[in-house]
Amino acid sequence: MAMQFVLLFLVIFKLTSAFPATLNETYGDSSCPLGTDIYQISCPEAEAIIFSMVEQAISQDSRMAASLLRLHFHDCFVNGCDASVLLDDTQDFVGEKTAGPNLNSLRGFEVIDAIKSELEFVCPQTVSCADILATAARDSILLSGGPLWKVEMGRKDSLTASKNTANNNIPAPNSTVDVLVAKFENVGLTLQDMVALSGAHTIGIARCPTFTSRLQSSTVSDNPFDNMEFIASLQQLCSAPDNSNIGTQLDLATPTTFDNQYYVNLLSGEGLLLSDQTLVNGNDETRQIVETYVQSPQVFFEDFKNSMLKMGSLGLAQGNGEIRRDCRTIN
């Protein structure tokens, strides 16, 4: 196992030449400070430490891969990828943890805390919490069988958080295609990015309240992408009066493997969330992209990597930040 770990990171660092040195070269943003070698001198052990601790967390709880990925998503959609999602409430602001999309839903904070504590011991006040989130998300995907890419580093941690922006910006699980496109475009991402990043739902679980809209579907439909048997199974699963803690896998076929099965499920009418199934039910353009990803996992992996890099660069020109010593509070 130790040798596999060493070999893996040799591969990761050898991949530098396969990606741009900075996101400036990819997206033409001269204000973007990110690069792949930010910590090469100041904290060369950073990526290895993060990977090792993410690997340990996932080995103890397979759900943690999806949880860490989701933390990064929900962070980036609120004023950019600045670790604002990790901040606890203060007298000056209400944090994002109690926002509707996050309350009793986001998890993995203790894993980030543990990683930060170790990094502070090895190289104090060097690696930002935002960079930890981005790297932990990549490692979670890799450890689940997904693609590998070089994480761009150099983010700063925010000095504040916004519950209101979290409530407004993060797409809801009952969103239509039009709403999803608007939410993604609002932060600078495209329809293509939206469909590719939705593939993150190939791992993880959701609880009954998040797919209520699917439960209310008619038992009879002429839509070729409606699966009445699947909907009936969801209705039975969530039939208890108090179903708030009852959940199921987003992808029943390969629930802990990062692959293209999510898109296969959509064409079979087995998208768990309305915001998933709407990608084939609600729009010809998104359905065509789904069909492409079903036919070619390689295309999906490549698009997902590029969209993750693009999402990871959000919000970099919005002002100064800091390197927090504790991810839950500003210095």
Side-chain angles (χ1 to χ4, degrees):
M1 179 61 72
M3 181 58 67
Q4 291 175 340
F5 174 78
V6 171
L7 289 174
L8 174 61
F9 266 88
L10 284 175
V11 171
I12 291 175
F13 288 112
K14 288 291 185 183
L15 282 175
T16 303
S17 60
F19 293 90
T22 70
L23 281 177
N24 299 347
E25 297 175 31
T26 307
Y27 301 115
D29 180 3
S30 61
S31 66
C32 180
L34 299 188
T36 57
D37 300 317
I38 296 295
Y39 301 122
Q40 187 172 14
I41 295 175
S42 61
C43 193
E45 306 97 330
E47 285 200 70
I49 289 171
I50 296 171
F51 181 89
S52 177
M53 298 187 75
V54 169
E55 182 181 40
Q56 181 181 17
I58 293 173
S59 70
Q60 295 171 351
D61 176 6
S62 60
R63 286 180 56 200
M64 192 53 66
S67 297
L68 293 174
L69 177 56
R70 192 159 177 257
L71 272 179
H72 182 48
F73 269 72
H74 284 222
D75 179 42
C76 293
F77 266 78
V78 183
N79 298 325
C81 310
D82 58 5
S84 60
V85 72
L86 302 177
L87 288 172
D88 291 333
D89 296 349
T90 72
Q91 292 181 341
D92 298 320
F93 62 81
V94 177
E96 296 160 22
K97 293 179 179 179
T98 56
N102 300 337
L103 182 64
N104 298 321
S105 175
L106 284 188
R107 57 197 296 271
F109 296 105
E110 71 286 350
V111 176
I112 302 300
D113 289 340
I115 294 171
K116 181 60 173 175
S117 178
E118 181 66 17
L119 288 172
E120 285 298 297
F121 178 77
V122 175
C123 35
Q125 220 163 342
T126 302
V127 182
S128 69
C129 300
D131 279 348
I132 294 173
L133 283 175
T135 307
R138 186 277 311 274
D139 292 345
S140 294
I141 293 164
L142 179 61
L143 287 162
S144 300
L148 169 67
W149 67 91
K150 285 289 292 183
V151 176
E152 302 284 350
M153 306 278 203
R155 299 167 187 81
K156 298 294 186 181
D157 298 325
S158 70
L159 303 176
T160 188
S162 175
K163 178 179 179 178
N164 184 60
T165 306
N167 281 325
N168 291 332
N169 282 20
I170 298 172
N174 61 348
S175 299
T176 63
V177 168
D178 289 343
V179 171
L180 289 171
V181 170
K183 295 278 188 180
F184 275 72
E185 288 183 345
N186 182 54
V187 298
L189 299 173
T190 66
L191 179 146
Q192 176 87 41
D193 294 321
M194 183 269 289
V195 180
L197 293 173
S198 292
H201 284 176
T202 191
I203 55 176
I205 71 168
R207 291 181 293 181
C208 291
T210 64
F211 51 89
T212 301
S213 299
R214 292 284 277 149
L215 301 179
Q216 296 171 346
S217 300
S218 170
T219 55
V220 178
S221 174
D222 294 328
N223 191 316
F225 300 108
D226 280 342
N227 185 327
M228 296 301 102
E229 184 178 347
F230 178 70
I231 291 172
S233 71
L234 296 182
Q235 291 170 338
Q236 182 176 3
L237 174 71
C238 300
S239 61
D242 182 8
N243 60 20
S244 58
N245 289 316
I246 298 175
T248 187
Q249 305 286 351
L250 287 160
D251 170 11
L252 291 172
T254 56
T256 59
T257 301
F258 194 96
D259 54 20
N260 71 332
Q261 183 63 41
Y262 164 81
Y263 300 103
V264 175
N265 295 342
L266 298 187
L267 293 183
S268 300
E270 297 179 0
L272 183 60
L273 307 179
L274 182 65
S275 59
D276 294 328
Q277 195 59 44
T278 193
L279 297 183
V280 297
N281 287 21
N283 184 285
D284 290 342
E285 186 176 358
T286 56
R287 185 177 67 253
Q288 289 168 5
I289 298 172
V290 168
E291 291 170 345
T292 297
Y293 292 162
V294 169
Q295 295 166 4
S296 176
Q298 294 77 16
V299 172
F300 164 51
F301 275 18
E302 190 64 26
D303 285 355
F304 186 84
K305 288 191 301 185
N306 291 333
S307 293
M308 284 292 288
L309 283 165
K310 190 174 177 182
M311 184 182 74
S313 71
L314 296 178
L316 296 173
Q318 293 190 5
N320 296 323
E322 63 179 8
I323 307 296
R324 293 184 207 138
R325 291 185 290 268
D326 178 342
C327 290
R328 294 175 180 261
T329 182
I330 61 175
N331 295 337

